[in-house]
């Protein structure tokens, strides 16, 4: 974290006045270097609750956006003292947002003073870990964040493909096929015997964590060997395709295959695990500003690539589409709106990590680096560089219905398996059913949703 070694401006009266009505929190009081006219370390304790930290971050964001370097520096000084990067969960969360705001100031150059300070005193790059396959498998098992979606999706997929001798799985997953071995295990134990499994992935997420330290070709070889050990014949195919254009290359290849296999009785499964929110949506680039339609059907200029992608999937008549993603809204073009939304969602992983990982462990560092990367992308970047554009479940449900899909309810077996999986984790995790959908919760707050869809 940046250390403010220069003497700050002479007072923070307007900040202390704004927050003077808040009660003292239980946050430990930090011994800060006294400055003439600044709050003492005792007074800084009153800023320690999450609501005050959020308000300070909002005011800092507004100061940076309005190029008020003096006010921004004052608030940053306070935040730097009350939110150490190794503090409690709220402090670590605030520290990550503080870092992201400094990165934004350095990146966009509106606050020249802050940009110069950032460049001189702080390396702002978030260092995410390159995982081995074993490390990544262990990493995603740490919490239900990914396992919830794996478990719910696999149960829905198994039910949908019952009786098929050939199953084509299109895996659009943030976690580099970590869901697939469990699915292969379940498929291998079918009463009617294991089917031929065709696995297609889009090599498109090298710039988004978690990152894997081996190529997709090597990953494919490992999956083929694993399937062989379970007496399942697996064919692996990589289609280079990017979320930036709505996976247009993938869609085109699937369309060509569909023409060949549509009458062969092959099941087509599309598994979307925390990947579709990287496809650009309406607030980034309306299609009216693009030169060409990446798909070969007519569409109105008001449609986003997300909508076009879903309609293209619908035209392939898939056996089932499973959509799992994080239940938050990070699409606003307004920085403060995004900051508030992200702050009130991303406290969850910081809070949860305290229940299962000790301070200083490598896994904890990797875990929190992933969150820091997300926060920086949401706060410090704009335009096409801001790829963390989460949408809440309600909006995805409406998108799927508009693309002529109908929701299918998760069965009792899926519910039972998810509950069994949650029993392996901390008591704060929970499960609730909303209409046809399943939602993972932490202390009652929505975290991740799982939905399953059939062509209407």
């Amino acid at each position: 974290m940046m250390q403010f070694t220069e003497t700050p401006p002479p007072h923070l009266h307007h900040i202390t006045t704004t927050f003077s009505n808040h009660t003292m929190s239980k946050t430990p009081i930090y011994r800060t270097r006294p400055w003439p006219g600044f709050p003492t370390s005792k007074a800084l304790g009153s800023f320690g609750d999450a609501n005050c930290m959020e308000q300070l971050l909002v005011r800092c964001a507004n100061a940076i956006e309005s190029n008020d370097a003096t006010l921004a520096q004052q608030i940053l000084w306070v935040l730097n003292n009350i939110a150490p990067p190794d503090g409690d969960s709220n402090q670590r969360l605030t520290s990550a947002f503080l870092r992201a705001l400094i990165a934004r100031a350095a990146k966009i150059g509106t606050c020249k003073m802050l940009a110069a300070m950032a460049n001189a005193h702080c390396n702002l790059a978030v260092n995410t870990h390159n995982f081995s396959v074993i490390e990544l498998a262990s990493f995603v098992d740490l919490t239900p964040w990914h396992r919830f979606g794996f478990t719910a999706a696999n149960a829905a997929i198994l039910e949908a493909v019952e009786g098929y001798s050939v199953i084509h799985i299109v895996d659009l997953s943030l976690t580099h096929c970590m869901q697939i071995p469990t699915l292969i295990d379940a498929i291998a134990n079918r009463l009617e015997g294991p089917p031929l499994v065709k696995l297609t992935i889009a090599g498109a997420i090298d710039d988004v964590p978690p990152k894997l330290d081996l190529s997709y070709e090597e990953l494919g070889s490992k999956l083929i060997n694993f399937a062989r050990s379970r007496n399942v014949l697996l064919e692996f195919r990589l289609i280079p395709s990017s979320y930036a254009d709505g996976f247009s290359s993938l869609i085109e290849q699937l369309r060509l295959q569909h023409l060949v296999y549509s009458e062969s009785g092959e099941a087509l499964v599309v598994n979307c695990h925390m990947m579709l929110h990287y496809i650009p949506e309406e607030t980034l680039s309306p299609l009216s500003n693009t030169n060409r339609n990446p798909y070969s059907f007519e569409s109105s200029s008001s449609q986003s690539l997300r909508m076009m992608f879903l309609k293209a999937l619908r035209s392939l008549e898939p056996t089932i589409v499973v959509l799992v993603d994080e239940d938050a809204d990070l699409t606003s073009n307004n920085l403060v709106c995004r900051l508030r939304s992200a702050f009130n969602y991303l406290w969850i992983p910081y809070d949860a990590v305290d229940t299962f990982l000790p301070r200083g462990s490598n896994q904890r560092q990797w875990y929190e680096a992933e969150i820091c990367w997300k926060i920086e992308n949401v706060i410090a970047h704009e335009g096409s560089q801001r790829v963390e554009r989460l949408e809440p479940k309600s909006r995805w449900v409406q998108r799927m219905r508009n693309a002529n899909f109908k929701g299918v309810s998760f069965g009792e077996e899926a519910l039972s398996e998810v509950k069994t999986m949650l029993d392996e984790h901390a008591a704060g995790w929970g499960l609730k059913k909303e209409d046809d959908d399943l939602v993972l919760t932490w202390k009652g707050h929505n975290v991740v949703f799982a939905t399953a869809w059939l062509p209407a």
Side-chain angles (χ1 to χ4, degrees):
M1 178 55 59
M2 178 187 297
Q3 298 300 316
F4 294 92
T5 56
E6 301 177 14
T7 302
H11 61 82
L12 288 177
H13 176 71
H14 52 295
I15 299 176
T16 55
T17 300
T18 301
F19 297 100
S20 61
N21 293 328
H22 287 285
T23 58
M24 294 286 286
S25 74
K26 296 181 181 179
T27 304
I29 294 174
Y30 296 93
R31 301 301 175 189
T32 59
R33 181 178 176 183
W35 297 97
F38 271 70
T40 63
S41 58
K42 182 177 181 180
L44 284 174
S46 64
F47 295 98
D49 66 64
N51 183 60
C52 287
M53 290 181 178
E54 179 186 357
Q55 296 306 316
L56 284 169
L57 288 168
V58 166
R59 293 203 63 177
C60 185
N62 282 325
I64 290 174
E65 293 301 281
S66 62
N67 199 23
D68 188 341
T70 300
L71 177 58
Q73 188 182 358
Q74 290 175 342
I75 303 173
L76 287 169
W77 183 86
V78 173
L79 287 168
N80 191 62
N81 280 280
I82 66 173
D86 58 350
D88 64 26
S89 58
N90 283 332
Q91 291 165 337
R92 301 198 309 277
L93 171 68
T94 302
S95 177
F97 275 89
L98 169 60
R99 180 182 185 134
L101 285 171
I102 296 171
R104 181 180 180 89
K107 182 179 178 65
I108 64 179
T110 54
C111 275
K112 302 298 184 183
M113 182 192 306
L114 291 176
M117 290 172 60
N119 292 331
H121 296 292
C122 187
N123 177 13
L124 295 171
V126 176
N127 295 317
T128 54
H129 183 65
N130 282 345
F131 291 91
S132 68
V133 169
I134 299 300
E135 286 175 340
L136 184 57
S138 299
F139 183 76
V140 299
D141 281 346
L142 288 173
T143 76
W145 204 280
H146 292 293
R147 290 190 73 198
F148 162 76
F150 292 175
T151 306
N154 284 350
I157 290 169
L158 285 171
E159 183 176 344
V161 301
E162 187 175 348
Y164 284 90
S165 59
V166 181
I167 302 172
H168 183 185
I169 303 169
V170 179
D171 190 45
L172 293 175
S173 171
L174 185 66
T175 56
H176 307 280
C177 300
M178 289 297 108
Q179 177 180 341
I180 300 302
T182 309
L183 182 56
I184 290 174
D185 258 339
I187 287 174
N189 294 323
R190 294 197 322 176
L191 292 177
E192 63 267 39
L196 166 65
V197 177
K198 300 177 180 180
L199 177 62
T200 298
I201 70 168
I205 55 171
D206 292 338
D207 56 339
V208 174
K211 298 177 182 178
L212 202 56
D213 69 353
L214 77 167
S215 68
Y216 285 108
E217 290 76 9
E218 292 171 310
L219 176 62
S221 295
K222 289 182 179 294
L223 289 169
I224 289 170
N225 290 334
F226 175 82
R228 186 181 296 121
S229 73
R230 300 299 191 269
N231 295 316
V232 174
L233 180 60
L234 174 69
E235 297 177 359
F236 179 86
R237 185 182 187 194
L238 168 68
I239 299 177
S241 191
S242 172
Y243 55 76
D245 66 358
F247 297 109
S248 60
S249 298
L250 173 69
I251 288 293
E252 186 58 33
Q253 290 297 316
L254 292 176
R255 180 174 287 113
L256 293 174
Q257 291 181 40
H258 180 64
L259 295 174
V260 176
Y261 298 116
S262 58
E263 297 182 5
S264 66
E266 177 179 296
L268 175 60
V269 174
V270 183
N271 183 62
C272 305
H273 182 89
M274 300 190 186
M275 177 67 78
L276 297 195
H277 73 260
Y278 292 106
I279 298 175
E281 39 72 53
E282 291 85 350
T283 65
L284 177 61
S285 54
L287 291 183
S288 55
N289 295 330
T290 60
N291 294 325
R292 69 179 185 89
N293 187 330
Y295 304 116
S296 57
F297 55 83
E298 292 298 320
S299 110
S300 71
S301 62
S302 63
Q303 285 185 342
S304 69
L305 284 173
R306 293 186 183 186
M307 200 64 226
M308 293 175 64
F309 173 80
L310 295 179
K311 287 192 171 184
L313 282 188
R314 174 61 183 83
S315 71
L316 299 176
E317 296 287 340
T319 308
I320 189 171
V321 175
V322 181
L323 172 55
V324 175
D325 219 318
E326 297 163 307
D327 198 4
D329 187 359
L330 303 181
T331 59
S332 175
N333 281 331
N334 180 276
L335 174 63
V336 169
C337 289
R338 287 204 312 277
L339 188 153
R340 288 188 182 278
S341 184
F343 190 89
N344 286 284
Y345 176 68
L346 292 173
W347 69 270
I348 294 172
Y350 277 99
D351 191 49
V353 75
D354 286 341
T355 66
F356 65 91
L357 285 178
R359 293 190 183 191
S361 70
N362 286 335
Q363 285 187 320
R364 179 155 171 169
Q365 292 173 10
W366 300 342
Y367 183 90
E368 296 196 352
E370 305 276 318
I371 313 168
C372 285
W373 184 94
K374 187 187 290 282
I375 291 170
E376 180 178 313
N377 190 265
V378 170
I379 300 301
H381 296 274
E382 293 294 349
S384 60
Q385 289 184 319
R386 178 160 61 84
V387 298
E388 283 290 343
R389 294 172 176 268
L390 292 171
E391 288 188 305
K393 178 174 77 76
S394 58
R395 204 176 299 165
W396 279 113
V397 166
Q398 192 58 53
R399 284 190 189 278
M400 293 298 289
R401 289 172 177 166
N402 290 346
N404 203 25
F405 285 97
K406 62 179 180 181
V408 57
S409 183
F410 289 89
E412 289 301 318
E413 186 172 345
L415 283 168
S416 176
E417 290 185 15
V418 171
K419 289 176 181 177
T420 300
M421 180 273 297
L422 291 180
D423 288 341
E424 302 172 15
H425 295 279
W429 296 105
L431 172 68
K432 65 181 180 180
K433 204 168 186 298
E434 294 182 350
D435 299 322
D436 293 329
D437 314 321
L438 299 183
V439 180
L440 174 71
T441 63
W442 173 254
K443 297 181 178 178
H445 298 269
N446 286 17
V447 181
V448 176
F449 65 86
T451 61
W453 302 87
L454 303 177

